[in-house]
Amino acid sequence: MKTGHPQLDGQGNLKHFLTIEGLSRALLVEILDRSEGFLGVTLQAVKKVPLCRGKVVANLFFETSTRTRTTFELAAKRLSADVLNLNISTSATAKGETLLDTLRNLEAMQVDMFVVRHPSSGAAHFIAAHAAPHVSVINAGDGRYSHPTQGMLDMLTIRRHKGDFANLRVAIVGDILHSRVARSQIAALNILGAAEVRVIGPRTLIPAFAEEALGVRVFHDLREGIRDVDVIIMLRLQRERMTNALLPSEHEYFQLYGLTAERLGVAHPEAIVMHPGPINRGVEIESQVADGPRSVILEQVTNGIAIRMAVMSMCIGTQNIAMQADGKTDGETNG
C-alpha cells in the first residue's frame, strides 16, 4: 500500500512526525493509547524500557526551549536511546556551515533520529525530505506552522480528564495568529471529533478567514467565548514573532483577555484550564487560576514525556520494519 504521505511509510506506519494535519483519527488514537502505557514507566523503580536501545537521537534546537528540549531528551533516555544535544550557538552552523552539511555530518555519526526546532516554518519538512532513508525526523516546533507533539500531549491531557472528544467544547484563548501550538491543537481536535472548537482573542491576533481555514468559531469577547466550555487553553503572547504593534499594552490585554477566577465562573463547572507554557502570570492568566484546582498545566508537562516516547518509539519501530524487510540487523542500520 503506497500512502504518498511524507510522514508515513508504504504501509501507513509513522516514519516522521512533522504535523498533525493530514493524519488519520486512528493514528492519533494509536499515539494516545501508546502514551497511556508509557505513563506507567515513570512509576517503575527503573524508569526505562529498551525499545530504542542502540539508537542515537540528535536534538537540533535552533530556538531556545526548556520544557520541549528536556522532555524530548528524557523521553529518548527512557527509551534507552543515546542522546546528542547540539548547542547551535557554538556549532559549525553558527560558523557558516549549511544546515544540510550539518545533517550529513550527523548522519555520518550514525544518528537514527533528528528532533528539530527551528524558527522557519517548513524547516522540519525540509530536513525530512533531505535526510537519509534510515533517519526519522520529529518536529519540535517550526515557525508559526506546527508543534505536533505539543498538540498531542494536550489531547492526552484532555482525554485523561474528559474521556471522549465527541461532546467537548474547547476554547483556545490568545495569540492564535502566531501560535504553532494553536494550529496543532485545532487540527487534532477536529480530527478527533471535538463537538466545537472556539478561538478567542483580539482581531489583530486572529488569522483572517479563521473560521473557514481552521474549522473553528471565532470570538472576540472572552466571557462569551468561554461560556459553558469544557476545556480552556490559554496561549502565550508570541512577542518575538510580532513585527508590528498588535496590542496597546499587556495590562490592557489582561483586562480584556486574561483568565481570572471570576471569569472562569462562566465556563462549565468542571472545565479544566491548560497552558502550554511558559506562563506570563498577570498577562494571560492570574496565579489564582494557574495554581488552582482546575489547572492541569503541570500534568501537561508530565504527559509530554509519554507522548514523545510514543512518537519516537513508533518511528523507530517503522525503521526496524524497514530493516527487517531489507534483511538487515540492528548493527547494520547505517552501514
Side-chain angles (χ1 to χ4, degrees):
M1 179 179 68
K2 297 290 186 183
T3 65
H5 195 290
Q7 303 183 92
L8 308 178
D9 71 358
Q11 303 305 312
N13 300 307
L14 195 66
K15 180 180 180 183
H16 306 295
F17 195 46
L18 309 175
T19 177
I20 291 172
E21 295 174 2
L23 297 180
S24 68
R25 182 180 184 279
L27 185 54
L28 299 194
V29 171
E30 181 182 353
I31 293 172
L32 295 176
D33 290 345
R34 183 176 289 228
S35 301
E36 293 280 359
F38 285 129
L39 284 171
V41 173
T42 60
L43 304 176
Q44 298 175 181
V46 178
K47 298 179 177 57
K48 282 198 173 188
V49 291
L51 294 176
C52 295
R53 180 179 296 158
K55 301 293 183 179
V56 180
V57 176
N59 286 328
L60 306 178
F61 277 61
F62 296 83
E63 287 184 322
T64 57
S65 170
T66 302
R67 274 166 298 277
T68 303
R69 193 193 64 76
T70 52
T71 54
F72 263 114
E73 180 177 353
L74 195 53
K77 288 180 174 176
R78 288 187 176 173
L79 291 168
S80 303
D82 295 317
V83 181
L84 294 174
N85 289 312
L86 264 70
N87 186 345
I88 299 300
S89 64
T90 59
S91 72
T93 303
K95 300 173 184 174
E97 185 176 74
T98 68
L99 179 57
L100 285 180
D101 282 336
T102 300
L103 296 180
R104 294 291 174 253
N105 279 275
L106 289 168
E107 287 174 356
M109 300 175 199
Q110 320 304 320
V111 169
D112 300 286
M113 177 178 287
F114 293 126
V115 178
V116 181
R117 169 170 283 199
H118 200 283
S120 299
S121 299
H125 282 75
F126 175 82
I127 292 171
H130 291 84
H134 67 271
V135 174
S136 293
V137 177
I138 310 295
N139 185 0
D142 62 328
R144 301 183 186 182
Y145 177 58
S146 185
H147 195 346
T149 57
Q150 178 69 48
M152 289 306 297
L153 75 87
D154 293 335
M155 297 307 107
L156 179 61
T157 306
I158 292 171
R159 194 176 79 163
R160 289 181 64 80
H161 281 270
K162 299 296 181 182
D164 190 18
F165 287 84
N167 297 315
L168 289 185
R169 283 173 288 195
V170 181
I172 304 173
V173 184
D175 185 359
I176 310 297
L177 180 64
H178 301 98
S179 177
R180 56 197 178 201
V181 172
R183 281 170 176 72
S184 292
Q185 291 165 339
I186 291 167
L189 287 165
N190 284 329
I191 292 170
L192 291 168
E196 183 179 358
V197 183
R198 306 177 184 180
V199 297
I200 305 161
R203 295 182 188 280
T204 53
L205 295 182
I206 302 287
F209 310 110
E211 292 194 347
E212 298 83 355
L214 301 176
V216 297
R217 290 185 65 193
V218 175
F219 294 80
H220 300 296
D221 180 273
L222 179 63
R223 288 179 182 275
E224 182 183 351
I226 66 172
R227 188 173 302 282
D228 299 325
V229 298
D230 304 286
V231 179
I232 302 173
I233 305 175
M234 304 301 295
L235 298 177
R236 181 177 67 87
L237 290 177
Q238 307 271 311
R239 286 288 191 188
E240 70 276 17
R241 294 192 173 88
M242 295 183 188
T243 55
N244 298 308
L246 300 177
L247 294 171
S249 70
E250 291 183 347
H251 173 75
E252 184 171 338
Y253 178 82
F254 181 73
Q255 296 305 311
L256 293 173
Y257 294 101
L259 187 61
T260 64
E262 188 271 332
R263 290 170 179 163
L264 181 57
V266 304
H268 189 282
E270 297 182 359
I272 58 173
V273 176
M274 304 172 64
H275 193 303
I279 296 172
N280 291 310
R281 295 173 186 261
V283 178
E284 302 116 20
I285 189 170
E286 71 173 6
S287 291
Q288 185 178 349
V289 177
D291 302 327
R294 292 157 77 175
S295 169
V296 296
I297 294 170
L298 292 180
E299 284 183 47
Q300 291 174 259
V301 180
T302 301
N303 292 341
I305 301 171
I307 280 288
R308 284 156 186 150
M309 289 176 74
V311 169
M312 296 168 101
S313 65
M314 290 170 69
C315 290
I316 291 294
T318 301
Q319 290 182 13
N320 292 339
I321 292 171
M323 286 168 48
Q324 292 167 4
D326 291 340
K328 295 180 179 178
T329 65
D330 280 357
E332 298 171 324
T333 306
N334 304 312

